[in-house]
Short mmCIF file of all heavy atoms in Angstrom, two decimals:
data_model
loop_
_atom_site.label_atom_id
_atom_site.label_comp_id
_atom_site.label_asym_id
_atom_site.label_seq_id
_atom_site.Cartn_x
_atom_site.Cartn_y
_atom_site.Cartn_z
N MET A 1 110.24 95.55 136.60
CA MET A 1 109.94 96.33 135.41
C MET A 1 111.19 96.42 134.52
O MET A 1 112.28 96.67 134.97
CB MET A 1 109.50 97.75 135.79
CG MET A 1 108.19 97.78 136.51
SD MET A 1 106.82 97.24 135.50
CE MET A 1 106.62 98.71 134.46
N SER A 2 110.99 96.20 133.25
CA SER A 2 112.12 96.26 132.34
C SER A 2 111.66 96.79 130.99
O SER A 2 110.58 96.47 130.52
CB SER A 2 112.73 94.87 132.16
OG SER A 2 113.76 94.93 131.20
N ASP A 3 112.47 97.60 130.38
CA ASP A 3 112.14 98.15 129.07
C ASP A 3 112.75 97.31 127.94
O ASP A 3 112.69 97.68 126.79
CB ASP A 3 112.65 99.58 128.96
CG ASP A 3 111.88 100.51 129.88
OD1 ASP A 3 110.69 100.26 130.13
OD2 ASP A 3 112.49 101.47 130.37
N ASP A 4 113.36 96.21 128.31
CA ASP A 4 114.02 95.39 127.32
C ASP A 4 113.13 94.28 126.77
O ASP A 4 113.58 93.39 126.07
CB ASP A 4 115.28 94.76 127.92
CG ASP A 4 116.29 95.83 128.27
OD1 ASP A 4 116.34 96.87 127.59
OD2 ASP A 4 117.02 95.62 129.25
N SER A 5 111.84 94.33 127.11
CA SER A 5 110.94 93.26 126.70
C SER A 5 110.75 93.22 125.18
O SER A 5 110.30 92.23 124.64
CB SER A 5 109.59 93.42 127.38
OG SER A 5 109.03 94.66 127.03
N ASP A 6 111.11 94.30 124.49
CA ASP A 6 110.93 94.33 123.04
C ASP A 6 111.80 93.31 122.33
O ASP A 6 111.53 92.91 121.20
CB ASP A 6 111.25 95.72 122.50
CG ASP A 6 110.15 96.72 122.81
OD1 ASP A 6 109.06 96.29 123.21
OD2 ASP A 6 110.40 97.92 122.66
N THR A 7 112.84 92.88 122.97
CA THR A 7 113.76 91.94 122.33
C THR A 7 113.15 90.55 122.19
O THR A 7 113.67 89.72 121.48
CB THR A 7 115.07 91.83 123.14
OG1 THR A 7 114.73 91.46 124.46
CG2 THR A 7 115.81 93.16 123.13
N SER A 8 112.02 90.32 122.86
CA SER A 8 111.40 88.99 122.82
C SER A 8 110.90 88.63 121.43
O SER A 8 110.72 87.46 121.13
CB SER A 8 110.25 88.92 123.82
OG SER A 8 109.25 89.84 123.48
N TYR A 9 110.69 89.64 120.57
CA TYR A 9 110.18 89.34 119.23
C TYR A 9 111.19 88.55 118.41
O TYR A 9 110.84 87.93 117.43
CB TYR A 9 109.80 90.62 118.50
CG TYR A 9 110.97 91.43 118.01
CD1 TYR A 9 111.52 91.16 116.75
CD2 TYR A 9 111.52 92.46 118.77
CE1 TYR A 9 112.60 91.90 116.28
CE2 TYR A 9 112.58 93.19 118.31
CZ TYR A 9 113.13 92.92 117.07
OH TYR A 9 114.19 93.64 116.62
N CYS A 10 112.44 88.57 118.84
CA CYS A 10 113.48 87.85 118.11
C CYS A 10 113.23 86.35 118.14
O CYS A 10 113.78 85.61 117.33
CB CYS A 10 114.86 88.16 118.70
SG CYS A 10 115.36 89.88 118.44
N LEU A 11 112.42 85.89 119.07
CA LEU A 11 112.16 84.46 119.19
C LEU A 11 111.16 83.99 118.14
O LEU A 11 111.04 82.79 117.89
CB LEU A 11 111.62 84.13 120.58
CG LEU A 11 112.59 84.46 121.73
CD1 LEU A 11 111.91 84.21 123.07
CD2 LEU A 11 113.87 83.64 121.62
N ILE A 12 110.46 84.95 117.50
CA ILE A 12 109.45 84.58 116.53
C ILE A 12 110.09 84.36 115.16
O ILE A 12 110.88 85.18 114.71
CB ILE A 12 108.37 85.68 116.42
CG1 ILE A 12 107.69 85.86 117.78
CG2 ILE A 12 107.34 85.33 115.33
CD1 ILE A 12 106.71 87.04 117.80
N ASP A 13 109.73 83.25 114.54
CA ASP A 13 110.23 82.97 113.20
C ASP A 13 109.43 83.80 112.21
O ASP A 13 108.25 83.55 111.98
CB ASP A 13 110.08 81.48 112.90
CG ASP A 13 110.68 81.12 111.54
OD1 ASP A 13 111.14 82.02 110.82
OD2 ASP A 13 110.69 79.93 111.21
N ALA A 14 110.05 84.78 111.62
CA ALA A 14 109.35 85.74 110.78
C ALA A 14 108.84 85.11 109.48
O ALA A 14 108.00 85.68 108.81
CB ALA A 14 110.27 86.91 110.45
N THR A 15 109.36 83.95 109.13
CA THR A 15 108.96 83.33 107.87
C THR A 15 107.64 82.59 108.00
O THR A 15 107.05 82.21 107.01
CB THR A 15 110.03 82.34 107.39
OG1 THR A 15 110.17 81.31 108.35
CG2 THR A 15 111.35 83.04 107.18
N ARG A 16 107.17 82.39 109.24
CA ARG A 16 105.93 81.68 109.45
C ARG A 16 104.96 82.54 110.24
O ARG A 16 105.27 82.94 111.35
CB ARG A 16 106.18 80.38 110.24
CG ARG A 16 107.13 79.45 109.53
CD ARG A 16 106.51 78.78 108.33
NE ARG A 16 105.38 77.94 108.71
CZ ARG A 16 104.67 77.23 107.85
NH1 ARG A 16 104.97 77.28 106.58
NH2 ARG A 16 103.67 76.49 108.24
N PRO A 17 103.79 82.84 109.68
CA PRO A 17 102.80 83.61 110.43
C PRO A 17 102.34 82.82 111.65
O PRO A 17 102.40 81.59 111.65
CB PRO A 17 101.64 83.77 109.43
CG PRO A 17 102.24 83.48 108.09
CD PRO A 17 103.35 82.52 108.34
N PRO A 18 101.88 83.53 112.67
CA PRO A 18 101.40 82.85 113.88
C PRO A 18 100.14 82.06 113.59
O PRO A 18 99.27 82.50 112.86
CB PRO A 18 101.13 83.99 114.85
CG PRO A 18 100.85 85.17 113.98
CD PRO A 18 101.73 84.98 112.77
N LYS A 19 100.05 80.88 114.16
CA LYS A 19 98.84 80.08 113.99
C LYS A 19 97.78 80.53 114.99
O LYS A 19 98.09 80.86 116.13
CB LYS A 19 99.15 78.59 114.21
CG LYS A 19 99.92 78.00 113.03
CD LYS A 19 99.97 76.49 113.14
CE LYS A 19 100.63 75.88 111.91
NZ LYS A 19 100.62 74.40 111.95
N ALA A 20 96.54 80.50 114.52
CA ALA A 20 95.45 80.94 115.38
C ALA A 20 95.15 79.90 116.44
O ALA A 20 95.28 78.70 116.21
CB ALA A 20 94.21 81.18 114.53
N ASP A 21 94.76 80.37 117.61
CA ASP A 21 94.36 79.46 118.68
C ASP A 21 92.97 78.90 118.42
O ASP A 21 92.58 77.90 119.00
CB ASP A 21 94.38 80.19 120.02
CG ASP A 21 95.80 80.57 120.42
OD1 ASP A 21 96.72 79.82 120.07
OD2 ASP A 21 95.97 81.60 121.06
N GLY A 22 92.21 79.57 117.54
CA GLY A 22 90.86 79.13 117.26
C GLY A 22 90.22 80.06 116.25
O GLY A 22 90.84 81.01 115.80
N PRO A 23 88.97 79.79 115.87
CA PRO A 23 88.28 80.65 114.91
C PRO A 23 88.06 82.04 115.47
O PRO A 23 88.06 82.21 116.69
CB PRO A 23 86.96 79.91 114.68
CG PRO A 23 86.78 79.02 115.86
CD PRO A 23 88.18 78.69 116.36
N PRO A 24 87.87 83.08 114.63
CA PRO A 24 87.77 82.95 113.16
C PRO A 24 89.13 82.85 112.50
O PRO A 24 90.08 83.49 112.92
CB PRO A 24 87.08 84.26 112.76
CG PRO A 24 87.51 85.25 113.81
CD PRO A 24 87.65 84.45 115.10
N TYR A 25 89.20 82.01 111.49
CA TYR A 25 90.43 81.88 110.73
C TYR A 25 90.37 82.75 109.48
O TYR A 25 89.29 83.03 108.95
CB TYR A 25 90.63 80.43 110.30
CG TYR A 25 90.77 79.48 111.46
CD1 TYR A 25 89.77 78.57 111.76
CD2 TYR A 25 91.93 79.49 112.23
CE1 TYR A 25 89.90 77.68 112.82
CE2 TYR A 25 92.07 78.61 113.29
CZ TYR A 25 91.05 77.71 113.59
OH TYR A 25 91.17 76.86 114.63
N ALA A 26 91.55 83.14 109.01
CA ALA A 26 91.61 83.89 107.76
C ALA A 26 91.32 82.96 106.59
O ALA A 26 91.58 81.76 106.65
CB ALA A 26 93.00 84.51 107.62
N GLU A 27 90.78 83.53 105.51
CA GLU A 27 90.52 82.73 104.32
C GLU A 27 91.78 82.61 103.48
O GLU A 27 92.59 83.51 103.42
CB GLU A 27 89.42 83.40 103.48
CG GLU A 27 88.04 83.22 104.04
CD GLU A 27 87.00 83.79 103.07
OE1 GLU A 27 87.36 84.60 102.20
OE2 GLU A 27 85.83 83.41 103.20
N CYS A 28 91.88 81.48 102.80
CA CYS A 28 92.96 81.31 101.83
C CYS A 28 92.73 82.29 100.69
O CYS A 28 91.61 82.41 100.19
CB CYS A 28 92.96 79.88 101.31
SG CYS A 28 94.16 79.59 100.00
N VAL A 29 93.76 83.01 100.29
CA VAL A 29 93.61 84.02 99.25
C VAL A 29 93.40 83.39 97.88
O VAL A 29 93.01 84.06 96.93
CB VAL A 29 94.85 84.95 99.19
CG1 VAL A 29 94.99 85.72 100.50
CG2 VAL A 29 96.10 84.17 98.88
N LEU A 30 93.66 82.11 97.76
CA LEU A 30 93.52 81.44 96.46
C LEU A 30 92.21 80.66 96.34
O LEU A 30 91.52 80.76 95.35
CB LEU A 30 94.71 80.50 96.24
CG LEU A 30 96.07 81.19 96.13
CD1 LEU A 30 97.16 80.16 95.87
CD2 LEU A 30 96.05 82.23 95.02
N CYS A 31 91.87 79.87 97.36
CA CYS A 31 90.71 79.00 97.23
C CYS A 31 89.62 79.30 98.26
O CYS A 31 88.59 78.63 98.28
CB CYS A 31 91.14 77.54 97.32
SG CYS A 31 91.72 77.06 98.96
N ARG A 32 89.85 80.31 99.10
CA ARG A 32 88.84 80.76 100.07
C ARG A 32 88.55 79.75 101.16
O ARG A 32 87.58 79.91 101.91
CB ARG A 32 87.52 81.09 99.35
CG ARG A 32 87.67 82.20 98.30
CD ARG A 32 87.81 83.55 98.96
NE ARG A 32 87.91 84.63 97.97
CZ ARG A 32 87.95 85.92 98.29
NH1 ARG A 32 87.88 86.27 99.55
NH2 ARG A 32 88.06 86.82 97.37
N LYS A 33 89.35 78.74 101.27
CA LYS A 33 89.16 77.81 102.37
C LYS A 33 89.81 78.38 103.64
O LYS A 33 90.73 79.18 103.54
CB LYS A 33 89.81 76.46 102.02
CG LYS A 33 89.03 75.67 100.97
CD LYS A 33 89.70 74.35 100.72
CE LYS A 33 88.92 73.56 99.66
NZ LYS A 33 89.58 72.28 99.31
N PRO A 34 89.31 77.98 104.79
CA PRO A 34 89.90 78.48 106.03
C PRO A 34 91.34 78.02 106.20
O PRO A 34 91.67 76.88 105.88
CB PRO A 34 88.99 77.92 107.13
CG PRO A 34 88.31 76.74 106.49
CD PRO A 34 88.18 77.09 105.04
N THR A 35 92.18 78.92 106.66
CA THR A 35 93.58 78.59 106.88
C THR A 35 93.82 78.36 108.36
O THR A 35 92.89 78.39 109.16
CB THR A 35 94.47 79.75 106.41
OG1 THR A 35 94.25 80.87 107.26
CG2 THR A 35 94.16 80.13 104.97
N GLU A 36 95.08 78.15 108.72
CA GLU A 36 95.43 77.99 110.12
C GLU A 36 95.81 79.33 110.74
O GLU A 36 96.20 79.38 111.90
CB GLU A 36 96.61 77.02 110.24
CG GLU A 36 96.26 75.62 109.78
CD GLU A 36 97.46 74.69 109.87
OE1 GLU A 36 98.59 75.16 109.66
OE2 GLU A 36 97.27 73.51 110.16
N TYR A 37 95.69 80.41 109.96
CA TYR A 37 96.09 81.71 110.45
C TYR A 37 94.91 82.48 111.02
O TYR A 37 93.78 82.33 110.55
CB TYR A 37 96.72 82.52 109.31
CG TYR A 37 97.83 81.79 108.60
CD1 TYR A 37 97.82 81.64 107.23
CD2 TYR A 37 98.87 81.23 109.33
CE1 TYR A 37 98.84 80.96 106.57
CE2 TYR A 37 99.88 80.55 108.69
CZ TYR A 37 99.88 80.41 107.32
OH TYR A 37 100.87 79.75 106.68
N PRO A 38 95.15 83.32 112.01
CA PRO A 38 94.06 84.13 112.58
C PRO A 38 93.54 85.14 111.57
O PRO A 38 94.29 85.61 110.71
CB PRO A 38 94.72 84.81 113.78
CG PRO A 38 96.18 84.83 113.47
CD PRO A 38 96.43 83.57 112.67
N GLU A 39 92.28 85.45 111.67
CA GLU A 39 91.65 86.39 110.73
C GLU A 39 92.31 87.76 110.80
O GLU A 39 92.29 88.51 109.83
CB GLU A 39 90.16 86.51 111.06
CG GLU A 39 89.37 87.20 109.97
CD GLU A 39 87.88 87.19 110.28
OE1 GLU A 39 87.50 87.55 111.41
OE2 GLU A 39 87.09 86.81 109.40
N SER A 40 92.89 88.07 111.94
CA SER A 40 93.51 89.38 112.12
C SER A 40 94.89 89.46 111.48
O SER A 40 95.51 90.52 111.47
CB SER A 40 93.62 89.70 113.61
OG SER A 40 94.40 88.73 114.26
N TYR A 41 95.37 88.33 110.94
CA TYR A 41 96.70 88.32 110.36
C TYR A 41 96.79 89.23 109.14
O TYR A 41 95.97 89.11 108.22
CB TYR A 41 97.11 86.89 110.00
CG TYR A 41 98.45 86.83 109.32
CD1 TYR A 41 99.62 87.07 110.03
CD2 TYR A 41 98.54 86.54 107.96
CE1 TYR A 41 100.84 87.02 109.41
CE2 TYR A 41 99.78 86.49 107.33
CZ TYR A 41 100.92 86.72 108.06
OH TYR A 41 102.13 86.68 107.44
N LYS A 42 97.76 90.14 109.14
CA LYS A 42 97.95 91.05 108.02
C LYS A 42 98.97 90.45 107.06
O LYS A 42 100.15 90.39 107.33
CB LYS A 42 98.47 92.40 108.54
CG LYS A 42 97.53 93.08 109.49
CD LYS A 42 96.32 93.66 108.75
CE LYS A 42 95.54 94.58 109.67
NZ LYS A 42 95.02 93.89 110.86
N GLY A 43 98.46 90.04 105.91
CA GLY A 43 99.37 89.47 104.93
C GLY A 43 98.68 88.39 104.13
O GLY A 43 97.48 88.16 104.26
N ILE A 44 99.45 87.72 103.29
CA ILE A 44 98.89 86.66 102.45
C ILE A 44 98.71 85.40 103.28
O ILE A 44 99.64 84.92 103.91
CB ILE A 44 99.82 86.39 101.26
CG1 ILE A 44 99.91 87.64 100.37
CG2 ILE A 44 99.32 85.19 100.45
CD1 ILE A 44 100.91 87.50 99.24
N THR A 45 97.49 84.89 103.28
CA THR A 45 97.21 83.67 104.02
C THR A 45 96.84 82.56 103.05
O THR A 45 95.97 82.71 102.21
CB THR A 45 96.04 83.89 105.00
OG1 THR A 45 94.95 84.48 104.32
CG2 THR A 45 96.47 84.81 106.13
N LEU A 46 97.52 81.45 103.16
CA LEU A 46 97.27 80.31 102.30
C LEU A 46 96.91 79.10 103.15
O LEU A 46 97.46 78.90 104.22
CB LEU A 46 98.51 79.98 101.47
CG LEU A 46 98.98 81.06 100.47
CD1 LEU A 46 100.27 80.64 99.82
CD2 LEU A 46 97.92 81.31 99.42
N CYS A 47 95.97 78.29 102.64
CA CYS A 47 95.64 77.05 103.32
C CYS A 47 96.81 76.09 103.11
O CYS A 47 97.65 76.29 102.23
CB CYS A 47 94.35 76.47 102.77
SG CYS A 47 94.47 75.88 101.08
N PRO A 48 96.88 75.01 103.90
CA PRO A 48 98.00 74.07 103.79
C PRO A 48 98.21 73.55 102.37
O PRO A 48 99.34 73.37 101.93
CB PRO A 48 97.60 72.95 104.75
CG PRO A 48 96.76 73.62 105.78
CD PRO A 48 96.00 74.68 105.01
N VAL A 49 97.12 73.33 101.64
CA VAL A 49 97.23 72.80 100.27
C VAL A 49 97.87 73.83 99.33
O VAL A 49 98.83 73.53 98.63
CB VAL A 49 95.84 72.39 99.74
CG1 VAL A 49 95.94 71.96 98.27
CG2 VAL A 49 95.27 71.27 100.58
N CYS A 50 97.32 75.05 99.32
CA CYS A 50 97.85 76.09 98.45
C CYS A 50 99.27 76.48 98.87
O CYS A 50 100.11 76.79 98.04
CB CYS A 50 96.95 77.32 98.48
SG CYS A 50 95.34 77.03 97.71
N GLU A 51 99.51 76.46 100.18
CA GLU A 51 100.83 76.81 100.67
C GLU A 51 101.87 75.83 100.13
O GLU A 51 102.96 76.20 99.71
CB GLU A 51 100.81 76.78 102.20
CG GLU A 51 102.04 77.41 102.82
CD GLU A 51 101.86 77.57 104.32
OE1 GLU A 51 101.78 76.53 105.00
OE2 GLU A 51 101.76 78.70 104.78
N TRP A 52 101.48 74.56 100.10
CA TRP A 52 102.39 73.52 99.58
C TRP A 52 102.60 73.71 98.09
O TRP A 52 103.72 73.59 97.58
CB TRP A 52 101.78 72.15 99.88
CG TRP A 52 102.65 71.03 99.41
CD1 TRP A 52 103.70 70.46 100.08
CD2 TRP A 52 102.54 70.32 98.15
NE1 TRP A 52 104.24 69.46 99.31
CE2 TRP A 52 103.56 69.35 98.13
CE3 TRP A 52 101.69 70.43 97.06
CZ2 TRP A 52 103.74 68.49 97.05
CZ3 TRP A 52 101.87 69.57 95.98
CH2 TRP A 52 102.88 68.62 95.98
N GLN A 53 101.51 74.01 97.37
CA GLN A 53 101.62 74.19 95.92
C GLN A 53 102.49 75.39 95.58
O GLN A 53 103.28 75.36 94.65
CB GLN A 53 100.22 74.35 95.32
CG GLN A 53 99.42 73.06 95.37
CD GLN A 53 98.00 73.25 94.84
OE1 GLN A 53 97.52 74.37 94.72
NE2 GLN A 53 97.34 72.16 94.53
N GLU A 54 102.34 76.47 96.34
CA GLU A 54 103.15 77.65 96.12
C GLU A 54 104.62 77.35 96.39
O GLU A 54 105.51 77.82 95.68
CB GLU A 54 102.67 78.79 97.02
CG GLU A 54 101.39 79.44 96.54
CD GLU A 54 101.57 80.12 95.20
OE1 GLU A 54 102.49 80.96 95.08
OE2 GLU A 54 100.82 79.83 94.26
N ALA A 55 104.87 76.56 97.41
CA ALA A 55 106.24 76.19 97.74
C ALA A 55 106.87 75.37 96.62
O ALA A 55 108.03 75.56 96.28
CB ALA A 55 106.25 75.40 99.05
N GLN A 56 106.06 74.47 96.04
CA GLN A 56 106.56 73.67 94.92
C GLN A 56 106.85 74.56 93.72
O GLN A 56 107.85 74.39 93.03
CB GLN A 56 105.52 72.61 94.54
CG GLN A 56 105.24 71.59 95.61
CD GLN A 56 106.49 70.75 95.93
OE1 GLN A 56 107.07 70.15 95.06
NE2 GLN A 56 106.88 70.73 97.20
N ARG A 57 105.96 75.52 93.46
CA ARG A 57 106.08 76.39 92.31
C ARG A 57 107.34 77.24 92.40
O ARG A 57 108.09 77.39 91.45
CB ARG A 57 104.84 77.27 92.21
CG ARG A 57 104.73 78.02 90.91
CD ARG A 57 103.41 78.77 90.84
NE ARG A 57 102.26 77.88 91.09
CZ ARG A 57 101.02 78.29 91.29
NH1 ARG A 57 100.76 79.57 91.31
NH2 ARG A 57 100.06 77.43 91.49
N THR A 58 107.54 77.82 93.59
CA THR A 58 108.69 78.70 93.75
C THR A 58 109.99 77.91 93.77
O THR A 58 111.02 78.39 93.34
CB THR A 58 108.57 79.51 95.05
OG1 THR A 58 108.37 78.61 96.14
CG2 THR A 58 107.40 80.49 94.97
N ALA A 59 109.90 76.67 94.25
CA ALA A 59 111.10 75.84 94.32
C ALA A 59 111.55 75.41 92.93
O ALA A 59 112.72 75.17 92.70
CB ALA A 59 110.83 74.62 95.19
N CYS A 60 110.59 75.31 92.00
CA CYS A 60 110.88 74.82 90.66
C CYS A 60 111.01 75.96 89.65
O CYS A 60 111.03 75.72 88.45
CB CYS A 60 109.80 73.83 90.21
SG CYS A 60 109.71 72.37 91.23
N SER A 61 110.99 77.19 90.11
CA SER A 61 111.04 78.32 89.20
C SER A 61 112.35 78.31 88.41
O SER A 61 113.40 78.03 88.95
CB SER A 61 110.88 79.63 89.96
OG SER A 61 111.96 79.82 90.84
N GLY A 62 112.24 78.65 87.15
CA GLY A 62 113.45 78.69 86.34
C GLY A 62 113.31 77.74 85.20
O GLY A 62 113.70 77.88 84.12
ZN1 ZN B 101 93.95 77.42 99.43
#
């Protein structure tokens, strides 16, 4: 028994939401297509296409 198990969250890359093991998947907030994220994911979920487009947009801002 150990109370230090909370430190395991440090292994998770916070910049990437967890991918779902299977359906139901969350909908893309832009085009409503199914994403790779679990439906229970709290936050903005984008499909691979929209995610790429958003990345391009933010990269070229200015
Ligand atoms: Zn999309």
Side-chain angles (χ1 to χ4, degrees):
M1 293 295 285
S2 176
D3 292 329
D4 295 329
S5 60
D6 285 347
T7 56
S8 62
Y9 74 87
C10 293
L11 298 176
I12 299 174
D13 184 357
T15 62
R16 301 287 298 181
K19 286 192 175 183
D21 293 328
Y25 298 109
E27 284 186 341
C28 175
V29 297
L30 296 181
C31 68
R32 300 285 182 175
K33 287 182 180 177
T35 67
E36 296 179 326
Y37 307 127
E39 193 175 49
S40 60
Y41 176 71
K42 299 286 192 299
I44 297 175
T45 50
L46 297 175
C47 68
V49 175
C50 292
E51 192 170 66
W52 180 85
Q53 290 177 343
E54 285 296 307
Q56 296 297 304
R57 191 175 306 170
T58 54
C60 298
S61 64

